[in-house]
Amino acid sequence: MRPPVAEWVAVLDFGSQYTQLIARRIREHHVYSEVLPHTTTAAELRARGARGIVLSGGPASCYEPGAPTLDPEIFRLGVPVLGICYGMQLMTRALGGEVRHSPEHEYGRTPIQIERRDPLFDGVPSRTTVWMSHGDRVMAIAAGFVPLARTAGCPVAAVRHQSLPLYGLQFHPEVSHTPEGGWMLRNFLVEVCGLGCSWTVGSTIELAVAEIRRRVGEHGRVVCGLSGGVDSAVVALLLDRAIGRRSTCIFVDNGLLRAGEREQVEQTFAQQFQLDFRVVDAAERFLERLRGVTDPEEKRRRIGHTFIEVFAEQARALPDVAFLAQGTLYPDVVESTAPHGGPTARIKSHHNVGGLPAELDFQLIEPLRMLFKDEVRRLGDELGLPPEITRRHPFPGPGLAVRCVGEVTPERLAALRAADAIVVEEMRQSGYHDRLWQAFAVLLPVRSVGVMGDRRTYESACVVRAVESEDGMTADWARLPYEVLARIATRIVNEVPGINRVTYDITSKPPGTIEWE
Ligand code: XMP
């Protein structure tokens, strides 16, 4: 389908972890952008009216058999193309140049010399730093191309065609470690593609609403899993705009929620927004299924299945529902599956990705699938969601179960919930809440000896986890003031029965993940 915007740029995905980041960076310059599979043909891109095409990086070597390739007609469309890393190598090879394995691998921040001035480098100093991550490189540029820049280990670090709007960069302009990368992308959009940069968050809402209407049609009905987090809340309001009461929101109380969560969600969606909102009390069923289970993936699997069961029962009770809407975000997708069949490794099976649709007879609607959290927050603001929802920290689908390391029992959950409420309260009090990506408590299956009021205690240890992150894909532990940590520790040990020790997690992601399971 042609996106209902006048100007947009396609990003063809060759399997890089950064592919969506490229699309997001382009959107930051107020140009709509979508990621498409690398198999998208020139004819499709023409029909969809793409005004620019970016070829992403990727883990393969373009000269190996079976490496992802592209329709070479794309280079003859007359539409500007920017090949990044693998994308540049693929373009070079497709147009007659040579790419080979390089003895000088370059990884990380690398000084670069821009040797030929070009609109792509307008406003960029001749010497700057770029982020490199490659083992192959261009050995001979294709006919008609000229080199634009070099690094110590890579004599062809940027190229352009002399008469066609074709560009290649060996480095990654989309990552923040390339300080001038934003300018280069802007130059590609404005100077090379000639775009007006007038797209806004409001246009995303229009696009999503139009797409929902197109998919659901005049009479279709949708059921929406509402968790109360910002993602599903935004989906619920988009559905409300698109099809009104033909959408029903179901909130499953799985007994794995945070303190006061159910009440807050009911208040917001049933009373304030007056959506068709239903609460299902399924806590007992979930806890029963989790009895005795300690393996993290098994917990996730059982929670996912139970969720499907509960959902299916509720949805079947509604007449003619053919669609299921979910608030899946891009980072959930990239860590659970490989988008567009690209070779991205699976890290955790996030419970709202995969699983559900295969077993349910629903078509899936995921309007946020290509967006990052902060983009969704901006959508939420625009849709009128209260800040308590849009600024809420992310909460995993499997809820407190993946923060209750070891067996999930009602008693352990109660202790974890109380400790978590203290962490969140103290973050709000100290003003740190809105500066952090997440702050929460984790209960460990470890007991330690303590002393309280001259009496020996032998109780559980808990962990406080607070991280800063832009999108949840990488994270750094928060350098909280000692006083804040001290207050949290004192309160938890004094107020929460069953916990006598508090530790602080100082692991970043990678190598850790944000959640413990
Ligand atoms: P990890 O632990 O993988 O988490 O570093 C990255 C971000 O994703 C959240 N998360 C989930 N979100 N369903 C979700 O919707 C899940 O199953 C899930 N597991 C983790 C996590 O809270 C963090 O923000």
Side-chain angles (χ1 to χ4, degrees):
M1 196 199 56
R2 190 187 180 107
V5 282
E7 296 183 339
W8 75 283
V9 168
V11 179
L12 299 192
D13 181 18
F14 294 92
S16 165
Q17 292 274 353
Y18 301 135
T19 303
Q20 279 296 337
L21 193 55
I22 301 172
R24 172 227 175 95
R25 294 287 181 236
I26 294 173
R27 295 195 292 263
E28 282 174 0
H29 289 294
H30 300 284
V31 172
Y32 184 67
S33 179
E34 256 184 48
V35 172
L36 297 175
H38 65 85
T39 47
T40 308
T41 63
E44 287 169 294
L45 289 166
R46 186 189 299 113
R48 296 186 49 161
R51 296 280 305 275
I53 298 163
V54 178
L55 314 178
S56 84
S61 286
C62 66
Y63 46 79
E64 278 175 350
T69 169
L70 88 175
D71 175 0
E73 283 303 310
I74 285 173
F75 301 118
R76 286 184 271 277
L77 281 173
V79 175
V81 178
L82 175 64
I84 294 177
C85 195
Y86 183 85
M88 161 169 162
Q89 296 165 5
L90 193 63
M91 177 162 69
T92 299
R93 198 172 141 84
L95 297 176
E98 194 190 345
V99 176
R100 262 193 277 137
H101 184 71
S102 157
E104 289 107 16
H105 294 195
E106 283 183 306
Y107 292 103
R109 289 190 174 87
T110 309
I112 191 169
Q113 172 79 41
I114 293 167
E115 297 186 305
R116 181 188 277 251
R117 294 317 303 181
D118 185 274
L120 191 70
F121 296 127
D122 256 9
V124 176
S126 298
R127 291 193 68 81
T128 178
T129 305
V130 295
W131 182 259
M132 285 287 197
S133 179
H134 67 108
D136 292 342
R137 68 175 164 88
V138 171
M139 295 293 176
I141 57 177
F145 279 78
V146 286
L148 298 177
R150 65 184 300 131
T151 65
C154 184
V156 186
V159 290
R160 74 156 292 175
H161 195 279
Q162 281 165 303
S163 52
L164 301 172
L166 306 178
Y167 283 85
L169 300 176
Q170 181 54 67
F171 55 88
H172 290 270
E174 70 276 21
V175 304
S176 55
H177 309 302
T178 300
E180 303 291 338
W183 267 107
M184 297 175 196
L185 286 177
R186 179 214 162 267
N187 288 340
F188 177 69
L189 300 170
V190 177
E191 309 297 337
V192 180
C193 302
L195 303 180
C197 303
S198 57
W199 176 81
T200 61
V201 172
S203 336
T204 316
I205 295 174
E206 285 160 37
L207 277 175
V209 166
E211 174 66 6
I212 293 169
R213 285 196 184 128
R214 186 190 69 82
R215 293 259 331 264
V216 176
E218 291 284 299
H219 308 288
R221 292 191 63 91
V222 181
V223 62
C224 171
L226 187 55
S227 70
V230 60
D231 312 336
S232 57
V234 165
V235 171
L237 294 189
L238 288 173
L239 287 167
D240 188 47
R241 277 208 185 182
I243 56 170
R245 301 293 281 191
R246 284 192 284 135
S247 151
T248 300
C249 296
I250 294 181
F251 176 77
V252 177
D253 182 347
N254 56 10
L256 305 167
L257 304 171
R258 288 164 292 186
E261 196 157 9
R262 173 173 169 167
E263 296 72 19
Q264 196 207 354
V265 170
E266 265 182 314
Q267 208 288 336
T268 308
F269 296 99
Q271 288 163 38
Q272 185 182 342
F273 284 101
Q274 306 209 322
L275 303 186
D276 180 5
F277 174 84
R278 306 174 188 200
V279 180
V280 191
D281 197 339
E284 270 181 33
R285 198 188 308 190
F286 277 87
L287 292 186
E288 179 54 39
R289 298 287 161 78
L290 287 170
R291 186 178 299 164
V293 181
T294 56
D295 179 70
E297 281 296 294
E298 184 61 17
K299 281 184 189 174
R300 284 175 175 270
R301 202 183 64 77
R302 290 190 185 209
I303 293 168
H305 281 216
T306 312
F307 198 80
I308 295 167
E309 242 177 61
V310 173
F311 220 89
E313 286 165 15
Q314 296 298 317
R316 275 189 214 111
L318 299 167
D320 312 323
V321 173
F323 299 89
L324 169 69
Q326 305 193 123
T328 315
L329 296 193
Y330 175 68
D332 305 336
V333 178
V334 79
E335 294 201 350
S336 291
T337 60
H340 311 306
T344 321
R346 173 187 174 123
I347 296 162
K348 285 181 192 176
S349 49
H350 284 206
H351 108 231
N352 49 355
V353 182
L356 279 177
E359 300 186 32
L360 285 178
D361 199 14
F362 287 126
Q363 294 175 55
L364 207 55
I365 294 184
E366 292 179 313
L368 314 179
R369 200 176 165 85
M370 294 302 164
L371 300 182
F372 286 81
K373 196 79 170 186
D374 56 335
E375 294 182 303
V376 175
R377 289 203 171 109
R378 281 202 296 280
L379 280 190
D381 292 337
E382 189 89 6
L383 286 163
L385 272 175
E388 301 85 74
I389 300 243
T390 55
R391 295 296 170 263
R392 230 169 144 177
H393 287 169
F395 188 58
L400 294 182
V402 292
R403 295 178 181 172
C404 195
V405 181
E407 191 179 356
V408 182
T409 64
E411 299 73 33
R412 298 192 75 220
L413 278 176
L416 174 58
R417 195 173 281 124
D420 186 69
I422 292 171
V423 175
V424 173
E425 212 176 291
E426 289 300 329
M427 287 301 117
R428 290 223 162 92
Q429 291 275 325
S430 58
Y432 271 87
H433 184 276
D434 287 359
R435 285 191 254 163
L436 298 175
W437 173 261
Q438 269 170 309
F440 54 87
V442 176
L443 189 68
L444 297 185
V446 168
R447 290 201 288 168
S448 76
V449 174
V451 53
M452 282 179 87
D454 292 337
R455 287 191 39 212
R456 177 187 190 269
T457 60
Y458 185 51
E459 291 174 338
S460 293
C462 89
V463 178
V464 174
R465 179 87 164 128
V467 295
E468 293 172 353
S469 171
E470 218 182 299
D471 49 29
M473 295 180 72
T474 59
D476 199 5
W477 61 279
R479 272 52 169 183
L480 294 177
Y482 285 166
E483 309 82 68
V484 175
L485 290 170
R487 209 161 37 243
I488 291 173
T490 309
R491 281 195 59 194
I492 290 178
V493 173
N494 285 340
E495 296 173 31
V496 182
I499 298 181
N500 70 347
R501 191 172 294 263
V502 177
T503 64
Y504 189 52
D505 182 350
I506 54 167
T507 321
S508 294
K509 172 183 179 176
T513 52
I514 295 175
E515 304 290 345
W516 269 51
E517 294 193 328

